[in-house]
Structures are given as C-alpha cells and as structure tokens.
Amino acid sequence: MEKALAEIWNAEDQTHAEAAVEAFGAAYGAKYGKAVAKVTDDADELPAFYDLPAEHWIRLRTTNPIESTFATVRHRTKVTKGPGPRAAGPAMAFKLIESAQARWRAVNAPHLVALVRAGARFERAVLIERDEADAA
C-alpha cells in the first residue's frame, strides 16, 4: 500500500497522479474501504501542486514542514529540561529557529515565487500567458 501511495505522490504530472489514484482504489478498495475513500474522495485536491512551477514541487512534496522547522527547538528543549521562565520559551524558540534557518535549503527558482503570489496560472508546470481578453 505504501508503494501505491508513493506512486501518487511522486507522479511526474497530474495525469499520471490521477491514474495512480484509480489504480490505488482498484487495488485496495475492497480491503481498506475507508482508507481508500480518504484518498479517492479528495483526489482532485491532492495533486494541487501540479498547478505550480515544477521547480517548486520538491519543496511542496515534503511530508511535514512544521515538524522539520521545529525539530531543532524540540531537541534543545529536551536537553535543557524545558525553556525555563515563561518569557524565555518564545525567545529561545525564536533564536533557535533563526540560527537553524541558515542551514535550510533555499527555494528553487525564487524568481517564480513573485509570479505565484501575484496569481499567475501554471498548467502542467508551465506558465500560462494571459490573453488580452482575460486582462480586461
């Protein structure tokens, strides 16, 4: 089952992801009905990152960005047996995350971030140019 889910998640484009969802439903629907329903019911939303630049996919496919960010804080607070005084906790977390961000991997194609934020449309990872009729 894990391999079939990975095929959905690692599909090269939305068409392959949709085919992998169908194959997953056919293979495991009878035995794991509720679990398969969770995947197949939201199949149109699962591969939403395909509508963004391909350079960003690797960052969007991460399984737990929150856990990765706060792992540094968690490891340090366990060693020190807690953050200490109430005001020291947020300050310590901020400084730990600030120092850890120097080791984080940068976003691929940062020039495309501005386009995404501005609402540019991407289909199959390719920027769709607006027509003059759409701009009016």
Side-chain angles (χ1 to χ4, degrees):
M1 181 184 265
E2 195 171 312
K3 185 177 179 181
L5 287 171
E7 286 182 28
I8 297 169
W9 185 53
N10 291 322
E12 63 187 69
D13 60 21
Q14 192 159 359
T15 307
H16 286 92
E18 290 167 358
V21 168
E22 289 179 24
F24 176 77
Y28 298 103
K31 188 170 181 180
Y32 306 103
K34 286 185 179 180
V36 169
K38 293 284 187 187
V39 174
T40 57
D41 290 349
D42 294 328
D44 56 332
E45 294 177 24
L46 286 174
F49 63 87
Y50 290 116
D51 292 334
L52 297 169
E55 293 86 354
H56 295 177
W57 291 358
I58 193 164
R59 306 298 287 162
L60 298 171
R61 283 180 168 154
T62 185
T63 56
N64 197 345
I66 303 298
E67 175 63 27
S68 300
T69 303
F70 288 100
T72 303
V73 176
R74 187 183 70 246
H75 294 311
R76 299 313 182 281
T77 54
K78 281 185 179 181
V79 170
T80 61
K81 307 274 193 277
R86 185 178 199 112
M92 182 181 76
F94 174 78
K95 291 309 273 182
L96 286 168
I97 292 171
E98 189 178 51
S99 66
Q101 78 180 9
R103 294 182 302 276
W104 291 344
R105 186 168 169 246
V107 172
N108 295 347
H111 62 282
L112 295 175
V113 173
L115 289 173
V116 172
R117 289 187 69 197
R121 285 189 43 227
F122 290 82
E123 284 186 20
R124 298 179 188 256
V126 176
L127 177 64
I128 303 299
E129 296 294 329
R130 291 176 32 177
D131 294 336
E132 292 300 321
D134 292 342

